[in-house]
Amino acid sequence: DHIERVRVVTRTETGTRVEGDWGKAKESLLPLWGSLLNRNVGRIWLVVEGNDDKRAYSQLSKACAAQGRQHLPDDMPLIPGGGDSVPYVVEELLSHGIPTIVLLDGDEKGRSIKDKVLKFRRANLKDVITLDEVYPGKSDPEMEDLFSSREDRERAFRQSGEENKVFQPPTLEAFEK
């Protein structure tokens, strides 16, 4: 369940190379795709920019679920795309027929990544979302802007079990949107 950790090791005449860019390691990943497709049939995947985004969205979703609010489906794979590698991750998922939603920050970098993703013929405009589209009144919103307080932001990044109780209502309302 940690597809973002996949690295391909190749040996060449010049030495060993570890490749994290999926776009350059296509054939080497074929066995991985077979396994993933079998385990995740019918699931929609959510790709976010990085590990902090994954942790925060996961924690906020659990908190919303515990309070009976809208939240991410429990079985939705949540994948940190690795910032600039997001387009390659999305391209691979889409090319293997995996339904994918992309959620990016609404800053310049997030909009740039969105433009790159939308160049893929399988990418659908409605499935690639930046936070400035969700929160049109905010300038360059990032995931961190969902939190109503510094304390809520810090709790989201902790690995403790308190995530179901601690977020203030404005934080949960922003996430639920």
Side-chain angles (χ1 to χ4, degrees):
D1 287 340
H2 293 282
I3 195 170
E4 73 278 4
R5 295 181 186 170
V6 172
R7 299 293 180 264
V8 176
V9 178
T10 55
R11 291 190 181 126
T12 65
E13 293 175 8
T14 59
T16 302
R17 181 175 154 170
V18 177
E19 186 61 66
D21 181 343
W22 290 13
K24 295 178 182 173
K26 291 186 183 216
E27 290 80 28
S28 302
L29 292 171
L30 289 176
L32 170 73
W33 288 117
S35 174
L36 287 174
L37 290 171
N38 287 335
R39 288 183 59 207
N40 295 291
V41 172
R43 294 160 97 187
I44 297 173
W45 290 41
L46 177 61
V47 177
V48 296
E49 286 186 51
N51 285 316
D52 286 347
D53 297 304
K54 176 185 176 179
R55 186 176 301 119
Y57 287 131
S58 177
Q59 298 256 5
L60 285 165
S61 183
K62 289 176 187 175
C64 284
Q67 294 189 16
R69 295 174 176 264
Q70 290 186 25
H71 60 282
L72 299 173
D74 294 334
D75 66 343
M76 176 181 265
L78 183 55
I79 306 298
D84 292 332
S85 295
V86 167
Y88 303 110
V89 172
V90 172
E91 179 182 29
E92 287 300 315
L93 292 170
L94 293 174
S95 71
H96 287 86
I98 298 173
T100 305
I101 296 173
V102 185
L103 181 58
L104 303 164
D105 289 342
D107 57 4
E108 185 177 329
K109 181 177 181 182
R111 290 188 298 270
S112 172
I113 292 171
K114 177 179 180 168
D115 290 342
K116 291 175 185 173
V117 168
L118 289 175
K119 290 180 181 175
F120 305 133
R121 68 181 169 94
R122 291 183 178 91
N124 189 330
L125 179 63
K126 72 174 182 59
D127 295 332
V128 185
I129 304 159
T130 55
L131 289 179
D132 58 337
E133 297 165 343
V134 179
Y135 304 101
K138 293 191 176 199
S139 176
D140 294 337
E142 297 178 334
M143 179 272 304
E144 292 83 358
D145 296 328
L146 295 177
F147 302 101
S148 62
S149 69
R150 190 182 93 233
E151 292 81 17
D152 274 2
R153 186 171 40 254
E154 290 171 358
R155 285 182 192 109
F157 296 111
R158 280 191 217 134
Q159 297 279 346
S160 71
E162 63 179 297
E163 66 269 5
N164 292 333
K165 304 178 183 108
V166 297
F167 297 107
Q168 297 175 19
T171 296
L172 296 178
E173 289 164 10
F175 173 77
E176 196 175 26
K177 186 174 184 180

Short mmCIF file of all heavy atoms in Angstrom, two decimals, residues 5-46:
data_model
loop_
_atom_site.label_atom_id
_atom_site.label_comp_id
_atom_site.label_asym_id
_atom_site.label_seq_id
_atom_site.Cartn_x
_atom_site.Cartn_y
_atom_site.Cartn_z
N ARG A 5 6.87 4.34 -2.55
CA ARG A 5 8.20 3.89 -2.11
C ARG A 5 8.90 3.02 -3.15
O ARG A 5 10.03 2.63 -2.96
CB ARG A 5 8.07 3.10 -0.82
CG ARG A 5 7.58 3.93 0.34
CD ARG A 5 7.50 3.08 1.58
NE ARG A 5 6.89 3.83 2.67
CZ ARG A 5 6.52 3.28 3.81
NH1 ARG A 5 6.69 1.99 4.00
NH2 ARG A 5 5.97 4.01 4.74
N VAL A 6 8.21 2.70 -4.22
CA VAL A 6 8.77 1.82 -5.24
C VAL A 6 9.95 2.50 -5.93
O VAL A 6 9.85 3.63 -6.39
CB VAL A 6 7.71 1.41 -6.29
CG1 VAL A 6 8.35 0.66 -7.44
CG2 VAL A 6 6.63 0.58 -5.63
N ARG A 7 11.06 1.80 -5.99
CA ARG A 7 12.23 2.24 -6.72
C ARG A 7 12.71 1.07 -7.57
O ARG A 7 12.65 -0.08 -7.15
CB ARG A 7 13.36 2.68 -5.78
CG ARG A 7 13.01 3.84 -4.87
CD ARG A 7 12.81 5.12 -5.65
NE ARG A 7 12.48 6.25 -4.83
CZ ARG A 7 11.26 6.69 -4.58
NH1 ARG A 7 10.22 6.09 -5.08
NH2 ARG A 7 11.05 7.76 -3.84
N VAL A 8 13.18 1.36 -8.74
CA VAL A 8 13.68 0.32 -9.63
C VAL A 8 15.19 0.40 -9.63
O VAL A 8 15.77 1.47 -9.83
CB VAL A 8 13.13 0.50 -11.06
CG1 VAL A 8 13.73 -0.53 -12.00
CG2 VAL A 8 11.61 0.39 -11.04
N VAL A 9 15.83 -0.75 -9.40
CA VAL A 9 17.29 -0.81 -9.40
C VAL A 9 17.70 -1.47 -10.71
O VAL A 9 17.24 -2.56 -11.05
CB VAL A 9 17.81 -1.63 -8.20
CG1 VAL A 9 19.33 -1.73 -8.24
CG2 VAL A 9 17.34 -1.01 -6.89
N THR A 10 18.55 -0.77 -11.45
CA THR A 10 19.05 -1.33 -12.71
C THR A 10 20.57 -1.38 -12.66
O THR A 10 21.22 -0.53 -12.05
CB THR A 10 18.61 -0.47 -13.92
OG1 THR A 10 19.04 0.87 -13.72
CG2 THR A 10 17.11 -0.50 -14.09
N ARG A 11 21.10 -2.40 -13.32
CA ARG A 11 22.56 -2.54 -13.41
C ARG A 11 22.95 -2.35 -14.86
O ARG A 11 22.38 -2.95 -15.76
CB ARG A 11 22.98 -3.92 -12.92
CG ARG A 11 22.76 -4.08 -11.45
CD ARG A 11 23.41 -5.34 -10.93
NE ARG A 11 23.13 -5.44 -9.51
CZ ARG A 11 22.58 -6.47 -8.94
NH1 ARG A 11 22.28 -7.53 -9.64
NH2 ARG A 11 22.36 -6.47 -7.65
N THR A 12 23.93 -1.51 -15.05
CA THR A 12 24.45 -1.26 -16.38
C THR A 12 25.96 -1.45 -16.36
O THR A 12 26.53 -1.74 -15.31
CB THR A 12 24.12 0.18 -16.85
OG1 THR A 12 24.82 1.10 -16.00
CG2 THR A 12 22.63 0.46 -16.80
N GLU A 13 26.59 -1.25 -17.49
CA GLU A 13 28.05 -1.39 -17.55
C GLU A 13 28.75 -0.34 -16.70
O GLU A 13 29.87 -0.53 -16.25
CB GLU A 13 28.50 -1.28 -19.00
CG GLU A 13 28.04 -2.44 -19.85
CD GLU A 13 28.40 -2.26 -21.32
OE1 GLU A 13 29.13 -1.32 -21.66
OE2 GLU A 13 27.93 -3.09 -22.11
N THR A 14 28.07 0.79 -16.46
CA THR A 14 28.68 1.86 -15.68
C THR A 14 28.37 1.77 -14.19
O THR A 14 28.88 2.55 -13.41
CB THR A 14 28.21 3.24 -16.20
OG1 THR A 14 26.79 3.31 -16.11
CG2 THR A 14 28.66 3.45 -17.62
N GLY A 15 27.51 0.81 -13.79
CA GLY A 15 27.22 0.64 -12.38
C GLY A 15 25.74 0.43 -12.10
O GLY A 15 24.94 0.24 -13.00
N THR A 16 25.41 0.50 -10.81
CA THR A 16 24.04 0.30 -10.36
C THR A 16 23.36 1.65 -10.22
O THR A 16 23.97 2.61 -9.75
CB THR A 16 24.03 -0.43 -9.00
OG1 THR A 16 24.71 -1.68 -9.16
CG2 THR A 16 22.62 -0.68 -8.53
N ARG A 17 22.10 1.69 -10.60
CA ARG A 17 21.35 2.94 -10.56
C ARG A 17 19.98 2.68 -9.93
O ARG A 17 19.30 1.72 -10.27
CB ARG A 17 21.18 3.45 -11.98
CG ARG A 17 20.46 4.74 -12.09
CD ARG A 17 20.48 5.19 -13.51
NE ARG A 17 19.34 6.04 -13.74
CZ ARG A 17 19.15 6.74 -14.80
NH1 ARG A 17 20.02 6.68 -15.77
NH2 ARG A 17 18.10 7.48 -14.93
N VAL A 18 19.57 3.55 -9.02
CA VAL A 18 18.25 3.49 -8.41
C VAL A 18 17.40 4.56 -9.08
O VAL A 18 17.76 5.73 -9.10
CB VAL A 18 18.32 3.73 -6.89
CG1 VAL A 18 16.92 3.73 -6.29
CG2 VAL A 18 19.20 2.69 -6.22
N GLU A 19 16.27 4.11 -9.62
CA GLU A 19 15.40 5.02 -10.38
C GLU A 19 14.09 5.21 -9.64
O GLU A 19 13.37 4.25 -9.39
CB GLU A 19 15.14 4.44 -11.78
CG GLU A 19 14.38 5.35 -12.69
CD GLU A 19 15.12 6.65 -12.94
OE1 GLU A 19 16.19 6.61 -13.56
OE2 GLU A 19 14.61 7.69 -12.50
N GLY A 20 13.78 6.44 -9.27
CA GLY A 20 12.51 6.77 -8.63
C GLY A 20 11.52 7.36 -9.60
O GLY A 20 10.34 7.51 -9.30
N ASP A 21 11.98 7.71 -10.78
CA ASP A 21 11.13 8.31 -11.82
C ASP A 21 10.48 7.20 -12.61
O ASP A 21 11.10 6.52 -13.40
CB ASP A 21 12.00 9.19 -12.73
CG ASP A 21 11.21 9.87 -13.83
OD1 ASP A 21 10.07 9.45 -14.11
OD2 ASP A 21 11.74 10.81 -14.42
N TRP A 22 9.19 7.01 -12.41
CA TRP A 22 8.48 5.91 -13.05
C TRP A 22 8.46 6.06 -14.56
O TRP A 22 8.36 5.08 -15.27
CB TRP A 22 7.06 5.84 -12.54
CG TRP A 22 6.96 5.41 -11.12
CD1 TRP A 22 7.97 5.31 -10.21
CD2 TRP A 22 5.79 5.01 -10.45
NE1 TRP A 22 7.49 4.89 -9.01
CE2 TRP A 22 6.14 4.70 -9.13
CE3 TRP A 22 4.47 4.90 -10.83
CZ2 TRP A 22 5.22 4.28 -8.20
CZ3 TRP A 22 3.55 4.48 -9.89
CH2 TRP A 22 3.93 4.17 -8.60
N GLY A 23 8.54 7.26 -15.03
CA GLY A 23 8.52 7.48 -16.47
C GLY A 23 9.73 6.87 -17.16
O GLY A 23 9.68 6.54 -18.33
N LYS A 24 10.81 6.70 -16.43
CA LYS A 24 12.04 6.13 -17.01
C LYS A 24 12.18 4.64 -16.73
O LYS A 24 13.09 4.01 -17.22
CB LYS A 24 13.26 6.86 -16.43
CG LYS A 24 13.32 8.32 -16.82
CD LYS A 24 14.51 8.99 -16.19
CE LYS A 24 14.56 10.46 -16.53
NZ LYS A 24 15.62 11.15 -15.79
N ALA A 25 11.29 4.09 -15.93
CA ALA A 25 11.43 2.69 -15.52
C ALA A 25 10.23 1.85 -15.93
O ALA A 25 9.89 0.88 -15.27
CB ALA A 25 11.60 2.65 -14.00
N LYS A 26 9.60 2.19 -17.03
CA LYS A 26 8.32 1.58 -17.41
C LYS A 26 8.31 0.06 -17.46
O LYS A 26 7.51 -0.58 -16.80
CB LYS A 26 7.86 2.14 -18.76
CG LYS A 26 7.47 3.59 -18.66
CD LYS A 26 6.88 4.07 -19.95
CE LYS A 26 6.58 5.55 -19.79
NZ LYS A 26 5.43 5.98 -20.45
N GLU A 27 9.17 -0.56 -18.27
CA GLU A 27 9.14 -2.02 -18.42
C GLU A 27 9.44 -2.73 -17.10
O GLU A 27 8.91 -3.78 -16.82
CB GLU A 27 10.13 -2.49 -19.49
CG GLU A 27 9.72 -2.12 -20.90
CD GLU A 27 10.05 -0.68 -21.25
OE1 GLU A 27 11.02 -0.12 -20.68
OE2 GLU A 27 9.35 -0.10 -22.08
N SER A 28 10.30 -2.16 -16.30
CA SER A 28 10.67 -2.78 -15.03
C SER A 28 9.50 -2.84 -14.05
O SER A 28 9.51 -3.64 -13.12
CB SER A 28 11.82 -2.01 -14.38
OG SER A 28 12.93 -1.98 -15.24
N LEU A 29 8.50 -2.00 -14.26
CA LEU A 29 7.37 -1.93 -13.33
C LEU A 29 6.21 -2.84 -13.71
O LEU A 29 5.22 -2.90 -13.00
CB LEU A 29 6.88 -0.48 -13.22
CG LEU A 29 7.85 0.48 -12.55
CD1 LEU A 29 7.36 1.91 -12.70
CD2 LEU A 29 8.02 0.14 -11.08
N LEU A 30 6.30 -3.55 -14.83
CA LEU A 30 5.18 -4.38 -15.28
C LEU A 30 4.71 -5.38 -14.22
O LEU A 30 3.50 -5.51 -13.99
CB LEU A 30 5.53 -5.08 -16.59
CG LEU A 30 5.59 -4.17 -17.82
CD1 LEU A 30 6.04 -4.95 -19.04
CD2 LEU A 30 4.27 -3.48 -18.07
N PRO A 31 5.61 -6.11 -13.54
CA PRO A 31 5.12 -7.04 -12.50
C PRO A 31 4.37 -6.31 -11.38
O PRO A 31 3.39 -6.82 -10.85
CB PRO A 31 6.39 -7.70 -11.96
CG PRO A 31 7.40 -7.51 -13.04
CD PRO A 31 7.05 -6.21 -13.72
N LEU A 32 4.83 -5.13 -11.03
CA LEU A 32 4.17 -4.35 -9.99
C LEU A 32 2.74 -4.01 -10.40
O LEU A 32 1.81 -4.13 -9.62
CB LEU A 32 4.96 -3.06 -9.72
CG LEU A 32 4.27 -2.04 -8.83
CD1 LEU A 32 4.26 -2.52 -7.39
CD2 LEU A 32 4.96 -0.70 -8.94
N TRP A 33 2.56 -3.59 -11.65
CA TRP A 33 1.22 -3.21 -12.11
C TRP A 33 0.27 -4.39 -12.08
O TRP A 33 -0.90 -4.24 -11.72
CB TRP A 33 1.28 -2.59 -13.50
CG TRP A 33 1.89 -1.24 -13.45
CD1 TRP A 33 3.05 -0.83 -14.04
CD2 TRP A 33 1.42 -0.10 -12.72
NE1 TRP A 33 3.31 0.47 -13.72
CE2 TRP A 33 2.33 0.94 -12.91
CE3 TRP A 33 0.31 0.12 -11.91
CZ2 TRP A 33 2.17 2.19 -12.34
CZ3 TRP A 33 0.15 1.37 -11.33
CH2 TRP A 33 1.07 2.39 -11.55
N GLY A 34 0.74 -5.57 -12.45
CA GLY A 34 -0.12 -6.75 -12.39
C GLY A 34 -0.64 -6.98 -10.98
O GLY A 34 -1.83 -7.23 -10.77
N SER A 35 0.23 -6.87 -10.02
CA SER A 35 -0.16 -7.05 -8.62
C SER A 35 -1.12 -5.96 -8.16
O SER A 35 -2.13 -6.23 -7.51
CB SER A 35 1.09 -7.06 -7.75
OG SER A 35 0.74 -7.11 -6.40
N LEU A 36 -0.80 -4.72 -8.47
CA LEU A 36 -1.65 -3.61 -8.04
C LEU A 36 -3.05 -3.69 -8.65
O LEU A 36 -4.04 -3.42 -7.98
CB LEU A 36 -1.01 -2.27 -8.42
CG LEU A 36 0.20 -1.87 -7.60
CD1 LEU A 36 0.81 -0.60 -8.17
CD2 LEU A 36 -0.19 -1.65 -6.15
N LEU A 37 -3.11 -4.02 -9.92
CA LEU A 37 -4.41 -4.09 -10.58
C LEU A 37 -5.28 -5.17 -9.96
O LEU A 37 -6.49 -4.98 -9.78
CB LEU A 37 -4.23 -4.33 -12.08
CG LEU A 37 -3.66 -3.15 -12.85
CD1 LEU A 37 -3.32 -3.55 -14.28
CD2 LEU A 37 -4.62 -1.98 -12.85
N ASN A 38 -4.69 -6.30 -9.61
CA ASN A 38 -5.46 -7.37 -8.98
C ASN A 38 -5.97 -6.99 -7.60
O ASN A 38 -7.06 -7.37 -7.21
CB ASN A 38 -4.62 -8.65 -8.89
CG ASN A 38 -4.43 -9.30 -10.23
OD1 ASN A 38 -5.25 -9.13 -11.14
ND2 ASN A 38 -3.37 -10.07 -10.37
N ARG A 39 -5.19 -6.24 -6.85
CA ARG A 39 -5.55 -5.87 -5.48
C ARG A 39 -6.51 -4.69 -5.42
O ARG A 39 -7.15 -4.48 -4.40
CB ARG A 39 -4.29 -5.50 -4.68
CG ARG A 39 -3.43 -6.68 -4.36
CD ARG A 39 -2.25 -6.30 -3.52
NE ARG A 39 -2.69 -5.70 -2.27
CZ ARG A 39 -1.97 -4.84 -1.59
NH1 ARG A 39 -0.80 -4.47 -2.01
NH2 ARG A 39 -2.42 -4.34 -0.46
N ASN A 40 -6.56 -3.89 -6.47
CA ASN A 40 -7.29 -2.63 -6.39
C ASN A 40 -8.36 -2.46 -7.46
O ASN A 40 -8.67 -1.35 -7.86
CB ASN A 40 -6.30 -1.46 -6.45
CG ASN A 40 -5.39 -1.46 -5.25
OD1 ASN A 40 -5.82 -1.19 -4.15
ND2 ASN A 40 -4.13 -1.79 -5.45
N VAL A 41 -8.94 -3.56 -7.92
CA VAL A 41 -9.97 -3.50 -8.95
C VAL A 41 -11.16 -2.69 -8.44
O VAL A 41 -11.65 -2.92 -7.33
CB VAL A 41 -10.41 -4.93 -9.35
CG1 VAL A 41 -11.61 -4.88 -10.27
CG2 VAL A 41 -9.26 -5.67 -10.00
N GLY A 42 -11.59 -1.74 -9.24
CA GLY A 42 -12.79 -0.96 -8.91
C GLY A 42 -12.58 0.17 -7.93
O GLY A 42 -13.54 0.86 -7.59
N ARG A 43 -11.38 0.37 -7.45
CA ARG A 43 -11.12 1.46 -6.51
C ARG A 43 -10.63 2.69 -7.24
O ARG A 43 -9.90 2.59 -8.22
CB ARG A 43 -10.07 1.02 -5.49
CG ARG A 43 -10.58 -0.09 -4.58
CD ARG A 43 -9.44 -0.81 -3.96
NE ARG A 43 -9.15 -0.31 -2.62
CZ ARG A 43 -8.09 -0.70 -1.93
NH1 ARG A 43 -7.24 -1.55 -2.42
NH2 ARG A 43 -7.88 -0.23 -0.73
N ILE A 44 -11.01 3.85 -6.75
CA ILE A 44 -10.50 5.11 -7.27
C ILE A 44 -9.32 5.50 -6.40
O ILE A 44 -9.40 5.47 -5.18
CB ILE A 44 -11.59 6.20 -7.23
CG1 ILE A 44 -12.76 5.81 -8.12
CG2 ILE A 44 -11.00 7.55 -7.65
CD1 ILE A 44 -13.95 6.74 -8.02
N TRP A 45 -8.22 5.88 -7.06
CA TRP A 45 -7.01 6.27 -6.34
C TRP A 45 -6.96 7.79 -6.23
O TRP A 45 -7.33 8.50 -7.16
CB TRP A 45 -5.78 5.78 -7.08
CG TRP A 45 -5.60 4.29 -7.05
CD1 TRP A 45 -6.57 3.34 -7.19
CD2 TRP A 45 -4.38 3.60 -6.88
NE1 TRP A 45 -6.01 2.10 -7.12
CE2 TRP A 45 -4.67 2.22 -6.94
CE3 TRP A 45 -3.07 4.01 -6.71
CZ2 TRP A 45 -3.69 1.25 -6.81
CZ3 TRP A 45 -2.09 3.04 -6.59
CH2 TRP A 45 -2.41 1.67 -6.63
N LEU A 46 -6.47 8.28 -5.10
CA LEU A 46 -6.26 9.71 -4.90
C LEU A 46 -4.76 9.96 -4.83
O LEU A 46 -4.07 9.40 -3.97
CB LEU A 46 -6.93 10.19 -3.61
CG LEU A 46 -6.72 11.65 -3.25
CD1 LEU A 46 -7.27 12.58 -4.34
CD2 LEU A 46 -7.35 11.98 -1.90
#
